[in-house]
Amino acid sequence: MNNIEKYFDENGIVKPGVLSENPWLRLLTETDNIYVNAERIRSVSSISGRETVEYVMRTLDILDEICDDRNIHEIVSEVLKWSEVAKGGLESERSEWLERGYPLDIHNEASAMIYSTYMESGREDSKSSRENVIFSLIKTHGLIGQCIRGEIPVSHNKCLYELSQNTEELKDIDFEKLLMTLNECIVRAVSDDIWKEVSKDAHTLIRRILSGDMTEFSPKYRLEKLCPAEIDIFDEDAVFFENNVFNRFELWYFTSALACFDMGQIRTIFGKILEYFNLEDNEQSLSESGSISSISHLNFKPLADSLWYDYEGAKHINVYKKRIIEKYLLDASIQNVDLSIAVKNGSAFIDFKFSEVCEKLIDFCVAAERSGLLTFEKSIIVLYDMFGFRRDAFDRLNNEEKYLDTMNNVTTSTKDSIISHVTGETVVDVGSGGGILLDRLEQKYPDKTIIGTDISANVIDTLIQKKNKEGHNWDVKVHNFVEGTFEPEVDSIIFSSILHEIYSYTEGEKGRFDIDSVKNALKFAYDSLKPGGRIIIRDGIKTDSSETRRVTFKDRAGLDFFKNYMKDFKGLKDIPEDKRVIKIDEDSLTVSGDINFIREFMYTYTWGNESYAHEVQEQFGYFTLREYKNYMEELGAKIIKAEEFLEAGYPDNLGRYLILTDESGEEVEYPESNCIIVVEK
């Protein structure tokens, strides 16, 4: 029988008489206080309020599984039962605990105090020796794990050493085994995988503590434990934390709240926290805190709780909030957001607070993103400049990972074929996006120098994280070929599905959709080549034809999509409005228009509603094959290859939704979608 079955019936209700015999269980079950670590849940909507009691039951099940020592089992069982009670209790009880000074947000210490209160209730004698041991173990509950994670210094575990030396109750107990058992229950109840990762570290640390060795881990080691592996940590970061943070504070929920930021942003956040605390020199008074010098905990749980939300049923960082915070960290004068620090009971609770208007705007963006409706998707585009978003295919917020996966899996054959044209020792991939081409270049040419570029620092940051996490040898840098050459000169430059974005988003003298932006990028790229170097292009293509094409949709949703596209698409400036769409027949769900307009529509439609707001901003074909060849020859380039083709995936996908015909109604082949151009200097 597991512990859920022991205490609860088949309907999840506590069995009769159980609560009176187990006050710890009453505190955990009769409560409306929901206390969940966002780091440990799959989705926000899955929070039931029973997380704490279910966690405790898992710890007790693990104890039953691993411990056959009766004395250790009895002690550890009591510790596990009481170690989370500060997260429970009725509102009246919690108010009473706060009045007594129990620090409920430091739940191990508060739980120990609550345990002591219950043990002493109704009797005059002091706690027994065993109760003292249990009290101390509840109070130190989780410190080993916090130390391994870098949240607290090793010296905070000194109380465990003192307990082992001065307690009669423990003289016949293997205290090392007891601590290992306790910590295995605590950690495995969160994750078996985490316990596998840290069990050796836990054993080593416990042995050190019980020998009296309180040597601290290095600041860089602690910082590396606190931060995800993909965050770059330098010596100066470790020095900053050693001199300003580790010597002063315990860090609670650091990883839950801050893992989505880079080290520069994390340091800025701590700089603002320290700036706040240094106001003590100006005799600042804090009503609930006493002296600021008494603050020993920085608790980031409020920030962690506010940053997470659900997208498509899974927990995601609220990108809108994160971007606004990032902007504020770059410029503290940004309105509508500020660092918030609430101080009480020796802890400082860290969050970012947004103005009411800003909160409403964030709520709108979240609702719009979840809806998938065209009207909402289009509305979001209007807000992008306010957030500083890059309005192209690689700024799809929580949809970005899925989009990049799609991009990485599409047109595999042509992506592979273009890299076969690489020459020389140094290759630049322009607009590297999700990094798929960088990976393929590295696989095919392990001895070449491979460099990815992008105009977006966010994309570069993501690629650096990918590089560090997966151990790649390629490098990346921020660069814009529209604005200048790449230095030093290189042998090969690849534009894979990026020139149409340059054409669509660059604000030239004539606004967006100015062919000079593409010409400038190609000229600067050509000037960046060594003699014999190559430019390799894979992208969309226009057709020289001015024929009319007719589309018949298989349902009304397709026609609605087309009518939205007519209003929203701003490209193809060279085609007069009356030529773009010649006729719309509502009854037959048929439209007819210029072949290039129909072509642009179809290759936007294939991405679906969720990507519409972004794809409608782009013109996929900007040069005909003839225009491409003419311009490259004007630069002095030798044409190695110039061909246009139709990606097989387009008719396969679009054929489910529409039929393409000529003016007479006869089905015709789809216009060419892509081209491959290879030129040599």
Side-chain angles (χ1 to χ4, degrees):
M1 176 187 294
N2 63 32
N3 281 276
I4 287 285
E5 294 170 343
K6 179 178 179 181
Y7 295 108
F8 296 86
D9 64 21
E10 60 186 11
N11 297 314
I13 299 172
V14 179
K15 293 178 179 179
V18 167
L19 295 185
S20 60
E21 299 172 1
N22 299 277
W24 59 272
L25 185 57
R26 184 191 67 76
L27 294 175
L28 294 176
T29 55
E30 294 184 359
T31 181
D32 56 2
N33 182 57
I34 299 177
Y35 195 100
V36 180
N37 183 355
E39 189 180 4
R40 304 302 184 201
I41 59 174
R42 182 185 178 278
S43 67
V44 176
S45 61
S46 68
I47 296 174
S48 65
R50 291 174 55 90
E51 281 75 16
T52 301
V53 70
E54 289 171 353
Y55 167 78
V56 171
M57 293 299 153
R58 287 196 299 274
T59 66
L60 294 172
D61 286 343
I62 293 167
L63 177 64
D64 292 341
E65 172 194 334
I66 66 175
C67 184
D68 55 7
D69 185 305
R70 183 175 59 83
N71 287 329
I72 290 178
H73 190 287
E74 288 179 0
I75 292 174
V76 173
S77 177
E78 283 300 293
V79 173
L80 295 173
K81 289 172 181 177
W82 287 92
S83 286
E84 306 292 328
V85 292
K87 298 176 182 177
L90 301 172
E91 185 176 349
S92 59
E93 290 173 304
R94 296 183 65 80
S95 297
E96 181 182 343
W97 294 338
L98 288 171
E99 288 176 8
R100 293 188 181 191
Y102 297 178
L104 297 185
D105 291 294
I106 308 174
H107 64 268
N108 53 342
E109 295 182 15
S111 293
M113 295 175 180
I114 295 167
Y115 166 78
S116 182
T117 300
Y118 272 82
M119 292 303 102
E120 295 172 359
S121 177
R123 73 184 194 198
E124 297 180 0
D125 57 322
S126 60
K127 292 193 292 288
S128 68
S129 176
R130 174 161 289 211
E131 287 171 358
N132 275 321
V133 169
I134 293 170
F135 172 87
S136 297
L137 290 173
I138 296 171
K139 188 175 181 179
T140 57
H141 170 256
L143 294 191
I144 296 291
Q146 284 186 282
C147 189
I148 291 171
R149 294 191 72 177
E151 296 175 343
I152 65 171
V154 175
S155 58
H156 279 34
N157 290 282
K158 186 177 180 181
C159 47
L160 292 173
Y161 169 72
E162 293 171 347
L163 185 66
S164 71
Q165 297 298 302
N166 303 318
T167 305
E168 182 71 16
E169 179 70 29
L170 295 174
K171 68 177 183 179
D172 296 325
I173 291 179
D174 184 340
F175 195 44
E176 179 183 320
K177 182 178 179 182
L178 186 152
L179 290 178
M180 277 297 291
T181 300
L182 175 60
N183 279 277
E184 180 172 353
C185 295
I186 293 168
V187 178
R188 272 188 60 195
V190 173
S191 164
D192 284 328
D193 290 338
I194 294 176
W195 177 245
K196 289 175 184 176
E197 291 175 12
V198 305
S199 59
K200 289 183 180 179
D201 291 338
H203 197 193
T204 300
L205 182 57
I206 287 170
R207 285 186 166 183
R208 276 185 52 196
I209 291 167
L210 295 184
S211 72
D213 179 4
M214 299 296 159
T215 305
E216 297 293 355
F217 294 123
S218 73
K220 190 167 186 180
Y221 173 90
R222 285 185 64 181
L223 203 51
E224 287 171 345
K225 291 297 183 181
L226 284 166
C227 297
E230 57 267 22
I231 293 182
D232 289 325
I233 298 171
F234 300 99
D235 290 340
E236 56 265 32
D237 300 320
V239 170
F240 172 84
F241 272 82
E242 178 181 24
N243 294 337
N244 299 287
V245 181
F246 291 151
N247 62 344
R248 190 171 180 182
F249 305 110
E250 294 182 23
L251 305 176
W252 287 49
Y253 301 96
F254 178 104
T255 305
S256 297
L258 300 180
C260 63
F261 296 99
D262 63 37
M263 182 49 60
Q265 293 164 341
I266 291 171
R267 282 186 58 174
T268 302
I269 291 171
F270 274 90
K272 291 182 179 296
I273 293 169
L274 294 168
E275 180 182 328
Y276 175 89
F277 284 161
N278 287 336
L279 292 176
E280 182 187 17
D281 297 336
N282 299 322
E283 299 183 350
Q284 179 196 32
S285 63
L286 296 168
S287 58
E288 295 186 46
S289 68
S291 169
I292 283 185
S293 62
S294 67
I295 303 301
S296 57
H297 299 78
L298 296 184
N299 190 319
F300 290 90
K301 190 173 190 299
L303 176 58
D305 290 344
S306 68
L307 272 179
W308 294 99
Y309 80 128
D310 283 352
Y311 177 77
E312 294 192 343
K315 178 189 68 175
H316 280 264
I317 287 290
N318 188 322
V319 185
Y320 305 99
K321 284 188 175 181
K322 179 174 180 283
R323 294 286 179 85
I324 295 170
I325 291 170
E326 287 172 338
K327 233 178 173 183
Y328 165 76
L329 295 175
L330 286 173
D331 181 1
S333 67
I334 296 295
Q335 300 297 307
N336 296 321
V337 61
D338 201 1
L339 185 70
S340 170
I341 301 179
V343 184
K344 60 181 179 179
N345 298 323
S347 295
F349 297 85
I350 313 299
D351 199 0
F352 285 91
K353 294 299 182 185
F354 303 88
S355 69
E356 183 178 358
V357 171
C358 198
E359 286 281 7
K360 295 292 185 184
L361 190 57
I362 292 167
D363 289 344
F364 166 79
C365 290
V366 170
E369 187 177 44
R370 287 173 174 167
S371 71
L373 299 175
L374 288 182
T375 52
F376 280 102
E377 288 283 352
K378 290 191 295 180
S379 298
I380 275 189
I381 285 292
V382 178
L383 303 175
Y384 271 25
D385 287 335
M386 298 175 64
F387 288 106
F389 289 154
R390 179 181 168 203
R391 296 183 300 161
D392 66 10
F394 296 111
D395 207 344
R396 291 163 189 271
L397 310 174
N398 284 320
N399 183 38
E400 181 171 350
E401 289 181 11
K402 184 168 67 176
Y403 178 79
L404 292 181
D405 283 344
T406 301
M407 291 295 291
N408 287 345
N409 290 327
V410 82
T411 62
T412 301
S413 60
T414 54
K415 284 182 182 290
D416 286 341
S417 68
I418 62 171
I419 66 176
S420 65
H421 296 289
V422 162
T423 189
E425 298 304 314
T426 308
V427 187
V428 173
D429 172 33
V430 184
S432 297
I436 186 66
L437 200 57
L438 292 175
D439 291 348
R440 288 189 174 157
L441 285 165
E442 183 180 66
Q443 291 167 8
K444 188 173 181 67
Y445 305 112
D447 297 327
K448 292 187 188 297
T449 299
I450 300 165
I451 304 166
T453 72
D454 203 278
I455 65 173
S456 168
N458 290 327
V459 171
I460 293 298
D461 287 343
T462 301
L463 286 169
I464 289 171
Q465 292 176 17
K466 171 183 169 67
K467 174 186 175 179
N468 293 340
K469 184 177 181 180
E470 300 175 5
H472 294 291
N473 293 320
W474 41 255
D475 288 312
V476 290
K477 65 181 291 186
V478 175
H479 182 263
N480 187 352
F481 271 101
V482 176
E483 298 176 352
T485 57
F486 189 94
E487 296 180 358
E489 291 181 342
V490 297
D491 298 297
S492 294
I493 298 175
I494 301 175
F495 291 91
S496 179
S497 297
I498 200 68
L499 284 171
H500 77 272
E501 293 187 0
I502 289 173
Y503 178 70
S504 301
Y505 294 106
T506 302
E507 292 282 354
E509 291 183 3
K510 304 172 187 175
R512 294 170 57 207
F513 305 108
D514 182 354
I515 198 61
D516 284 343
S517 61
V518 174
K519 290 181 175 180
N520 288 339
L522 291 173
K523 183 180 186 308
F524 282 127
Y526 189 75
D527 291 344
S528 302
L529 291 176
K530 297 175 184 177
R534 289 181 174 180
I535 294 175
I536 303 162
I537 300 166
R538 178 199 170 279
D539 214 331
I541 194 76
K542 284 176 69 175
T543 175
D544 274 322
S545 172
S546 58
E547 295 177 290
T548 298
R549 286 290 179 265
R550 182 184 298 174
V551 172
T552 301
F553 296 102
K554 296 184 178 180
D555 59 46
R556 181 155 294 276
L559 181 60
D560 291 341
F561 192 108
F562 181 84
K563 288 191 288 186
N564 274 295
Y565 184 83
M566 279 176 55
K567 292 182 292 184
D568 298 332
F569 179 61
K570 306 303 179 186
L572 289 173
K573 294 179 179 179
D574 56 323
I575 302 177
E577 289 290 335
D578 61 336
K579 298 293 184 182
R580 291 182 176 203
V581 180
I582 299 171
K583 184 179 180 181
I584 298 178
D585 188 329
E586 296 275 354
D587 294 333
S588 64
L589 304 181
T590 299
V591 301
S592 59
D594 179 88
I595 187 172
N596 272 305
F597 185 83
I598 295 296
R599 175 194 167 284
E600 288 291 335
F601 160 73
M602 290 196 305
Y603 300 150
T604 296
Y605 187 39
T606 193
W607 292 104
N609 284 353
E610 194 169 39
S611 297
Y612 172 84
H614 309 271
E615 296 295 335
V616 77
Q617 303 294 315
E618 301 177 4
Q619 181 174 324
F620 192 43
Y622 43 89
F623 265 153
T624 66
L625 192 65
R626 173 181 51 81
E627 289 168 336
Y628 248 130
K629 293 166 68 174
N630 288 345
Y631 181 68
M632 299 311 297
E633 287 174 342
E634 283 179 24
L635 294 178
K638 175 185 177 183
I639 307 295
I640 303 298
K641 181 174 185 175
E643 66 177 34
E644 53 189 339
F645 58 93
L646 173 66
E647 287 284 3
Y650 285 134
D652 290 345
N653 182 51
L654 288 169
R656 295 178 293 170
Y657 307 110
L658 58 82
I659 299 170
L660 182 68
T661 65
D662 60 18
E663 288 183 275
S664 68
E666 184 175 344
E667 285 197 41
V668 293
E669 294 183 354
Y670 286 35
E672 309 287 26
S673 61
N674 294 76
C675 68
I676 292 178
I677 312 288
V678 182
V679 303
E680 192 169 280
K681 187 171 183 177

